[in-house]
Amino acid sequence: MHLNEIISMGGYGLYVWTAYSITLLVFGMNLFTAIREKKRVKKTLRHYFSQTS
Amino acid sequence: MLHWFNQHFISLKAFYATSSALLPWLITAFSLCFAYGLIAGLFFAPADYQQGDGFRIIYVHVPSAFTAMAIYAVMAVSGILTLVFRMKIAAICMSVSASIGAWFTFLALVTGAIWGKPMWGTWWIWDARLTSVLILLFLYFGFIALQSVIPDQQSRDRAGAIMAIVGVINLPIIHYSVIWWNTLHQGPTLSKLAAPSIAPDMLHPLLAMIAAFLFFYAVILLLRMRNQIVLREIKTQWVKEVMSHAS
Amino acid sequence: MLKSLLTITHQEIVMTLRQAYSWITPLLFFVIVVCLFPLALGPDENTLNKVAPGIIWVGALLAIVMSIGNIFRSDAEEGHLDLLLLSAHPLTLLVLCKLISHWITHCLPLIVISPLLGILLHLNIHEESVLVISLLLGTPVFVLLGAIGSALVVGIRSHGLLLPILIMPLYIPVLIFGTGSMIAASANLPLASDFAMMGALVLISLAFAPLLTSAALRIGANQ
Amino acid sequence: MQTTPTEQTLVIDHLRFERNNITLLDQIHSTVNAGELLQVRGANGCGKSTLLRLLAGYLEPHDGAIFWQNKSITEQRECYQQNIHYVGHRNGIKSTLTVAENLKLQCALSNIRFEPTNAQAVLKKMGLQHITDKHAAHLSAGQLRRLALARLALTPNKIWILDEPTTALDTEGQTVLNELLTQHLTHGGIAIVATHQDLDKSHPTKMLHLGAANA
């Protein structure tokens, strides 16, 4: 499978690769929100502990 | 039996511990299935005689639609557990799964539209399954909107549980009425998206991708549930310890 | 037991009739929405006749969604909800009384007026009769499912458009079979299957909706 | 529970209640025997109404429990709630109905036959007999409060839970309330009242002070 065959995907390259990139995008979005949420939770906890202890 | 469950899953502290043990396994399982499914699906599976390589979008569209439905089922079950057994962990699982499920439903719709363009010339076809997925997206938005408006945590969990249960009762009814509606208006053609009797070496990557999507859901679910657990148990001692040596 | 439930339903009906605006506005809304479509689609008889089922059914659906929101709100604001929970009767029965009274006061007028709107859209007698029967079978499901949604949002102050978003996806099967029966009627096809399905939907909602509505009301009382 | 309380007692056993991680009530403990009145006192916002709604079974405690006839009320919620009268800040009166219709609705809700004579007597005691056919929407706050309290006399229930019953009541209304309370307590009923005014000393009263207002 040469490179240009992969890209062209039998003429449907544009559609196939956009579909797959959107999938990776959605996966990334989910992962990103999970990690950002973890950071924010850590911040609130640190703030809470500093307040109460 | 219930005690074992309580030990590992029901109590928030135990769930936190079990999830940290489970997460590495789930991540490896996801990466294996995803790698195999992606490579086999994109490069090694034979092209479809009708749709050529365009059919490879199936390896993304069908798993995301399947996972979207599966996540709603998980939400409904946790809804029942929240209402009947007052399980906090089920409430957390339910509200966290909602946003992940909405993402997957959106993904299923977008990939369905992208698949539809080269095959049938239009971005959107009122096919029975695609329409059911669209309605599923509305159910997800309804659930998330309801939960975002209720201030009190306990009422938010229970109201969401009821909405999930109402949704899961109506989903099969909606699905079959949409199929009935489809045959009424477009005649009994085979639904365009019905997976053709798929050759085994086309099928294996699809099963692997479905497994990969489900594992990914499990990973994100556990990650986000851990955040919610820590937030809800903020006053307990074990959260303090976990957070102190973690940060 | 039955007598007191009847008095409760009677009082509910009397209350809604005293506030005439509460049931007349959905009716006017229904008429205006249906009258908009001929203005939008043009007066040509064939197009109107072809689209008539959809117009009337969507109009009825929107009118009911609008009016279902305040079925429990006045009780919650006056604190009457707390009394309903303490009543000797099970809450599901009380909810059923309220839903029956709401159907009588809000949905019956829609059904009575729908043949008139059918004339605006050039429906013949057979289609008009099927319209009335399908509305009679469909509107109870609208009220039952709508009650769950309105009980869920009863505790929330500014819920605005949340209620329609919550319950309209659930209305889709009834809409499909309702319009389906009218399309079958205009093509003179047998109607048994459509009415059977709508009857089944009524029974399913009758089984689940009061139970879930009372559970939702108990949560509302939590605030 | 240390002593084996007689049948008709209400035991509040180390109650704790949280809302969104904020503890509103903690370690509330008390026992109310038949014929006793529990007066709940505390600053505004200290959870008096929350405690009363817990006692009425509207809310569920996070820790501890409330026992009625030696059984936790969460297990027997329906039949427990049937012998409760709850008068909260909101009167629960339907404003579109007349005074008489409100009483008729109240009898229907408690599944009791509505006798006009009995209703007339109750209205007379509450001083509302001259406005039976007036719409509740046109009543003054005091009259509404009396109408809400009228249901205490109309349908007999063992447990009365009153949240600031004397608000908007004039002196004459308060005396009527005290009469109702004495009659209720002498018949072996239980009353839980959240109020700042010191009620009539003749009732056997227990005090329950709730802690400082929570943040």
Side-chain angles (χ1 to χ4, degrees):
Chain A
M1 267 253 192
H2 307 301
L3 194 56
N4 50 29
E5 254 173 45
I6 292 171
I7 292 168
S8 72
M9 265 297 169
Y12 297 106
L14 175 67
Y15 301 107
V16 172
W17 291 114
T18 14
Y20 276 76
S21 42
I22 289 174
T23 315
L24 291 180
L25 201 69
V26 167
F27 275 36
M29 264 307 294
N30 276 300
L31 209 58
F32 172 68
T33 11
I35 292 160
R36 189 181 47 163
E37 192 182 48
K38 190 173 170 61
K39 285 202 186 68
R40 195 172 298 155
V41 159
K42 266 210 180 96
K43 204 160 63 67
T44 28
L45 278 178
R46 212 168 291 122
H47 172 67
Y48 177 82
F49 288 144
S50 61
Q51 221 182 12
T52 49
S53 59
Chain B
M1 215 315 253
L2 193 63
H3 177 63
W4 180 82
F5 254 106
N6 194 5
Q7 272 242 300
H8 292 289
F9 291 104
I10 294 178
S11 88
L12 298 186
K13 181 173 183 302
F15 187 90
Y16 194 88
T18 345
S19 62
S20 40
L22 271 174
L23 263 171
W25 292 99
L26 287 172
I27 291 169
T28 38
F30 159 69
S31 5
L32 285 177
C33 295
F34 195 65
Y36 167 72
L38 208 61
I39 295 159
L42 271 177
F43 306 115
F44 294 110
D48 182 65
Y49 59 93
Q50 261 178 342
Q51 302 171 3
D53 284 315
F55 101 102
R56 296 188 195 288
I57 300 180
I58 190 177
Y59 292 119
V60 176
H61 172 64
V62 170
S64 47
F66 180 88
T67 323
M69 299 263 186
I71 291 175
Y72 204 88
V74 167
M75 273 169 62
V77 168
S78 348
I80 294 166
L81 292 178
T82 321
L83 271 184
V84 174
F85 299 105
R86 301 274 193 274
M87 275 164 62
K88 257 174 144 179
I89 197 67
I92 297 173
C93 167
M94 182 180 66
S95 40
V96 166
S97 310
S99 44
I100 308 172
W103 270 114
F104 275 114
T105 330
F106 165 75
L107 181 61
L109 287 174
V110 167
T111 45
I114 292 175
W115 191 5
K117 184 67 178 121
M119 298 308 147
W120 300 288
T122 62
W123 286 107
W124 176 258
I125 38 167
W126 285 96
D127 164 73
R129 268 206 292 254
L130 266 181
T131 324
S132 313
V133 172
L134 180 66
I135 299 167
L136 180 64
L137 188 62
F138 296 148
L139 287 179
Y140 272 117
F141 285 153
F143 179 90
I144 294 168
L146 176 67
Q147 288 225 316
S148 63
V149 161
I150 300 174
D152 171 46
Q153 180 67 53
Q154 196 183 33
S155 325
R156 181 187 312 147
D157 295 342
R158 294 209 190 135
I162 289 182
M163 198 55 218
I165 291 168
V166 167
V168 90
I169 295 173
N170 277 285
L171 252 185
I173 300 172
I174 290 173
H175 186 57
Y176 286 110
S177 53
V178 165
I179 289 175
W180 184 88
W181 164 81
N182 203 312
T183 49
L184 173 76
H185 288 282
Q186 287 160 352
T189 58
L190 171 66
S191 137
K192 293 187 176 59
L193 279 179
S197 55
I198 193 161
D201 47 14
M202 277 187 189
L203 183 61
H204 296 143
L206 183 60
L207 297 179
M209 283 301 270
I210 290 178
F213 273 57
L214 289 174
F215 280 129
F216 181 76
Y217 159 61
V219 167
I220 299 291
L221 178 68
L222 287 187
L223 283 176
R224 297 192 65 176
M225 274 178 79
R226 289 157 62 90
N227 298 336
Q228 295 303 325
I229 290 171
V230 162
L231 270 179
R232 285 204 194 186
E233 298 286 279
I234 201 166
K235 293 204 289 204
T236 55
Q237 187 51 28
W238 69 272
V239 165
K240 205 167 193 173
E241 285 145 17
V242 162
M243 275 304 136
S244 56
H245 70 71
S247 55
Chain C
M1 171 73 161
L2 190 61
K3 190 177 175 320
S4 45
L5 287 180
L6 283 179
T7 21
I8 293 171
T9 326
H10 170 66
Q11 295 293 0
E12 285 290 328
I13 294 174
V14 160
M15 266 196 294
T16 348
L17 293 183
R18 284 204 184 129
Q19 291 172 323
Y21 74 88
S22 79
W23 60 275
I24 287 181
T25 28
L27 196 61
L28 289 179
F29 177 89
F30 177 44
V31 170
I32 292 168
V33 161
V34 171
C35 294
L36 285 181
F37 282 90
L39 298 169
L41 302 172
D44 164 46
E45 193 178 328
N46 312 5
T47 45
L48 282 187
N49 205 324
K50 191 171 178 311
V51 185
I55 297 174
I56 293 185
W57 264 92
V58 169
L61 185 145
L62 292 176
I64 291 172
V65 160
M66 238 187 52
S67 67
I68 202 86
N70 45 36
I71 192 170
F72 294 117
R73 190 175 311 127
S74 57
D75 289 335
E77 272 152 19
E78 286 160 352
H80 192 63
L81 202 56
D82 300 339
L83 297 184
L84 292 180
L85 293 174
L86 297 184
S87 141
H89 305 294
L91 189 55
T92 16
L93 278 182
L94 296 176
V95 162
L96 216 54
C97 293
K98 288 183 86 65
L99 295 187
I100 291 166
S101 92
H102 188 272
W103 186 76
I104 290 169
T105 47
H106 286 79
C107 296
L108 268 190
L110 296 189
I111 296 170
V112 163
I113 205 163
S114 59
L116 293 178
L117 297 176
I119 295 169
L120 292 182
L121 302 170
H122 309 293
L123 294 180
N124 61 39
I125 295 303
H126 175 53
E127 283 163 342
E128 299 269 12
S129 55
V130 170
L131 166 66
V132 169
I133 298 168
S134 58
L135 278 176
L136 274 172
L137 279 171
T139 41
V141 181
F142 284 164
V143 170
L144 283 160
L145 293 178
I148 302 176
S150 89
L152 281 171
V153 298
V154 80
I156 307 158
R157 265 156 301 287
S158 61
H159 56 266
L161 279 179
L162 176 63
L163 187 58
I165 293 170
L166 269 183
I167 44 177
M168 278 208 263
L170 309 176
Y171 282 174
I172 286 171
V174 180
L175 185 68
I176 287 175
F177 288 115
T179 41
S181 63
M182 283 184 65
I183 292 161
S186 57
N188 292 321
L189 295 168
L191 301 163
S193 65
D194 307 275
F195 289 153
M197 281 305 284
M198 294 186 83
L201 287 178
V202 173
L203 293 179
I204 293 172
S205 334
L206 210 56
F208 285 105
L211 217 63
L212 289 168
T213 315
S214 44
L217 284 177
R218 281 196 198 288
I219 299 169
N222 239 330
Q223 301 309 348
Chain D
M1 296 167 290
Q2 324 79 347
T3 59
T4 51
T6 62
E7 202 51 41
Q8 301 298 345
T9 51
L10 193 66
V11 178
I12 307 168
D13 184 15
H14 298 296
L15 215 59
R16 191 167 68 80
F17 183 77
E18 279 177 18
R19 182 157 286 175
N20 286 350
N21 261 331
I22 302 155
T23 313
L24 294 178
L25 296 168
D26 207 351
Q27 294 312 332
I28 309 287
H29 190 78
S30 175
T31 317
V32 190
N33 298 316
E36 273 179 359
L37 181 138
L38 177 72
Q39 186 171 357
V40 181
R41 302 178 76 97
N44 289 346
C46 68
K48 285 202 299 294
S49 300
T50 317
L51 176 63
L52 262 60
R53 287 188 79 87
L54 275 162
L55 286 167
Y58 294 133
L59 301 171
E60 275 158 30
H62 283 69
D63 265 342
I66 301 166
F67 294 97
W68 166 247
Q69 294 172 344
N70 304 345
K71 241 173 82 183
S72 156
I73 61 168
T74 36
E75 280 142 27
Q76 46 164 343
R77 183 163 43 158
E78 268 73 22
C79 58
Y80 167 72
Q81 278 187 323
Q82 270 162 24
N83 37 47
I84 281 182
H85 266 312
Y86 176 80
V87 178
H89 296 300
R90 297 173 303 206
N91 295 315
I93 301 296
K94 297 302 293 179
S95 47
T96 44
L97 292 177
T98 68
V99 170
E101 282 165 349
N102 263 299
L103 289 184
K104 190 188 272 190
L105 185 60
Q106 177 56 33
C107 282
L109 278 176
S110 340
N111 203 7
I112 289 168
R113 246 179 53 75
F114 173 74
E115 293 111 6
T117 50
N118 176 10
Q120 208 55 32
V122 164
L123 284 177
K124 204 160 143 8
K125 186 191 287 182
M126 300 306 290
L128 298 170
Q129 72 282 3
H130 55 287
I131 47 163
T132 45
D133 296 328
K134 214 169 159 196
H135 279 273
H138 310 317
L139 297 185
S140 74
Q143 287 167 326
L144 274 175
R145 202 56 173 166
R146 288 178 183 220
L147 184 54
L149 293 171
R151 64 172 180 261
L152 298 177
L154 190 66
T155 45
N157 277 348
K158 281 208 184 45
I159 302 173
W160 288 5
I161 300 176
L162 312 175
D163 198 345
E164 315 264 358
T166 49
T167 47
L169 275 187
D170 51 19
T171 47
E172 198 231 331
Q174 277 157 24
T175 43
V176 167
L177 175 64
N178 276 323
E179 276 162 32
L180 283 176
L181 271 170
T182 9
Q183 202 193 358
H184 176 66
L185 293 172
T186 43
H187 283 90
I190 286 177
I192 296 147
V193 184
T195 180
H196 290 287
Q197 287 159 336
D198 38 21
L199 289 160
D200 188 325
K201 277 294 151 271
S202 67
H203 317 306
T205 322
K206 273 188 177 164
M207 284 293 177
L208 179 62
H209 288 276
L210 295 186
N214 306 79

